[in-house]
Amino acid sequence: MKPLREVYPNLRQRMFEVLEHGRRRDFVARVLDIFLVVLVLANVVIVIAQSVPEVSARHGTLLLVLDRLCVLVFAIEFAARVWVASEHPMLKGHSELGARLRFMGTPMMVVDALALLPWLLEVLFPSSVLAPLTRIVRLLKLARYSPALATMGRVVASEWRALLACVFILGSVMLIAAAVMFAVEGQRQPERLGDLPKAIWWSAAMLAKIGGGETEPVTTLGRLVAAITVMMGIFCFALPVAIIGRGFYEEIRRRDFVVTFAMVARVPLFTRLDAPAIADLVSILRARTVSAGTVIIRKGDPGDAMFFVASGKVEVATGSEVVRLTEGSFFGEMALLTREPRSATVTALASTDLLVLDVDDFLKLLDRLPTFKEQVEEIARERRAANVKQL
Ligand code: CMP
């Protein structure tokens, strides 16, 4: 029998594309994604059902078999991801083993490994109460498929200063309210407000409005302090909610789909970039999906971004000629290079996924990546020459 690699020379490459979302709108990848998402959700339902004694008593065996099946699929998925790791553009230049080991250290692979951990825990420590808890970690596997989940971490990471300021404000308000209440009513209610830790517990409860009810202020001044504390509580909690909410909304708007490393590495203009440069691009490129007929660029408008076609096709109408651009091409670079108005109207011919590079990031990239600059300028020159010829 021939080895697998000879029968399917590109099998590993193909599997890499399917597993790591190298190509948008890949039918097989989509079916696999849906299957894995359903499996993760089903697994969480199984964990919840198993914790209910009546359900567990009646369907215990069935639930256990289903859970083991899920784990088996997750294990196969994990092994397949490790197998295709050497195809990862980020890991080119490493030995097969080196690439696999490095790949296993990436955040999503750690999550995948954690998804298998509960099974190991259950085998090693059958009576551990931690097992159901760790099984819920499998939900994190969804981060791979959900722009929303994937962006949550980014929002917290980018807003950490503001959030830290909120924690500082909340802590200060809590301490001040506790100190004031301790001074005002400490002697009147020694058992509840007689020392600072008790007063801090009271102020924390009042700020979060989770109670504090049994400690009623008995003086007018005390009631005033309590009222102000409750108001401050609303303010303190509204602030981080607003910060996260706004950041979340902006991130979601920026990304209609998750931009993956493999997706960026497939764009011909970027294939020769090194891994850190591609990783940088993954974080700055916005994802936008447009439906057929959408005018993406209008001739004469000022330029604010350039676009890469991740999937789909567009039509460039210069006035005298119509050119079609497909997956892997880019457009919208000319106005950014020359600071002149857009030279053509670009319309989506089908539902098209675009990677958008904003002008500021484009200019920074020109400085940072001389090869990128050369190639973009070269193509812009050719296009300009073609347009002049057409006139
Ligand atoms: P820009 O002028 O910013 O906006 C319109 C875009 O259409 C332009 O950048 C190019 O990216 C693209 N374009 C213009 N002329 C051609 C052409 N002849 N062939 C392919 N693309 C073109």
Side-chain angles (χ1 to χ4, degrees):
M1 217 174 93
K2 286 185 184 173
L4 198 62
R5 201 175 292 179
E6 275 181 33
V7 186
Y8 299 108
N10 292 325
L11 179 69
R12 199 166 63 178
Q13 169 68 34
R14 176 75 188 113
M15 267 183 72
F16 169 74
E17 275 185 357
V18 169
L19 284 167
E20 296 301 320
H21 301 148
R23 206 189 277 245
R24 281 275 292 160
R25 292 161 195 266
D26 184 319
F27 178 72
V28 184
R30 279 198 167 186
V31 171
L32 184 74
D33 282 0
I34 293 170
F35 173 68
L36 288 171
V37 168
V38 169
L39 215 62
V40 171
L41 294 177
N43 196 257
V44 171
V45 173
I46 292 170
V47 174
I48 295 169
Q50 278 177 328
S51 74
V52 181
E54 302 90 74
V55 181
S56 177
R58 208 185 298 168
H59 306 290
T61 322
L62 176 69
L63 291 174
L64 193 69
V65 170
L66 288 177
D67 181 60
R68 290 291 183 264
L69 277 177
C70 290
V71 173
L72 182 68
V73 176
F74 294 154
I76 294 172
E77 179 206 348
F78 184 80
R81 286 189 195 279
V82 173
W83 182 55
V84 302
S86 47
E87 296 293 327
H88 207 300
M90 184 174 72
L91 300 167
K92 284 270 178 291
H94 292 277
S95 66
E96 282 203 3
L97 181 68
R100 285 183 184 141
L101 289 176
R102 273 171 184 264
F103 191 58
M104 279 163 75
T106 57
M108 275 323 295
M109 286 303 279
V110 172
V111 168
D112 283 343
L114 283 177
L116 297 174
L117 183 72
W119 169 75
L120 208 66
L121 274 182
E122 275 166 39
V123 172
L124 296 177
F125 313 101
S127 56
S128 165
V129 287
L130 276 180
L133 187 71
T134 49
R135 278 157 71 185
I136 295 291
V137 169
R138 288 180 187 152
L139 253 190
L140 291 181
K141 276 172 79 73
L142 296 182
R144 197 177 251 126
Y145 312 103
S146 156
L149 267 181
T151 49
M152 191 65 207
R154 249 194 312 268
V155 172
V156 173
S158 66
E159 302 288 350
W160 70 270
R161 277 174 218 277
L163 292 173
L164 198 66
C166 292
V167 172
F168 182 72
I169 294 172
L170 182 67
S172 310
V173 169
M174 191 169 75
L175 283 178
I176 292 169
V180 174
M181 201 59 174
F182 170 64
V184 173
E185 295 208 356
Q187 283 174 352
R188 297 285 293 269
Q189 304 194 61
E191 71 292 352
R192 290 194 166 136
L193 298 164
D195 55 42
L196 266 180
K198 283 181 188 153
I200 288 173
W201 167 245
W202 171 85
S203 72
M206 289 304 274
L207 283 170
K209 207 64 207 96
I210 55 164
E214 73 273 23
T215 312
E216 286 291 331
V218 290
T219 61
T220 309
L221 196 55
R223 283 191 199 107
L224 187 66
V225 174
I228 294 173
T229 308
V230 172
M231 300 294 174
M232 292 304 287
I234 294 170
F235 168 77
C236 287
F237 283 100
L239 210 56
V241 169
I243 291 169
I244 292 196
R246 190 201 41 140
F248 199 66
Y249 171 72
E250 277 175 10
E251 275 286 325
I252 293 286
R253 234 182 26 163
R254 271 169 72 89
R255 289 161 192 260
D256 287 351
F257 52 90
V258 182
V259 179
T260 65
F261 194 102
M263 203 182 284
V264 174
R266 283 191 79 227
V267 175
L269 204 57
F270 300 142
T271 38
R272 274 193 273 148
L273 295 184
D274 58 7
I278 296 182
D280 197 27
L281 277 166
V282 172
S283 64
I284 59 175
L285 285 169
R286 279 189 292 131
R288 191 175 148 204
T289 301
V290 290
S291 50
T294 306
V295 175
I296 305 160
I297 282 180
R298 208 176 287 280
K299 189 171 177 174
D301 280 355
D304 55 359
M306 81 175 280
F307 305 81
F308 300 87
V309 182
S311 77
K313 49 182 179 242
V314 300
E315 187 178 75
V316 180
T318 57
S320 51
E321 204 200 7
V322 173
V323 183
R324 281 187 178 195
L325 299 177
T326 53
E327 195 176 305
S329 346
F330 63 85
F331 58 90
E333 78 293 352
M334 286 162 70
L336 306 192
L337 287 170
T338 59
R339 318 234 167 171
E340 281 171 10
R342 295 291 196 192
S343 61
T345 295
V346 184
T347 313
L349 288 177
S351 177
T352 301
D353 294 321
L354 298 166
L355 302 173
V356 188
L357 182 63
D358 286 324
V359 59
D360 293 343
D361 294 321
F362 172 79
L363 295 175
K364 278 186 213 148
L365 225 53
L366 289 188
D367 281 344
R368 241 183 296 154
L369 305 172
T371 49
F372 170 80
K373 183 173 184 214
E374 261 169 41
Q375 285 172 301
V376 172
E377 283 179 344
E378 168 82 38
I379 293 192
R381 243 192 321 273
E382 284 170 18
R383 287 176 174 172
R384 208 168 301 122
N387 295 350
V388 170
K389 229 192 260 170
Q390 295 299 325
L391 289 177

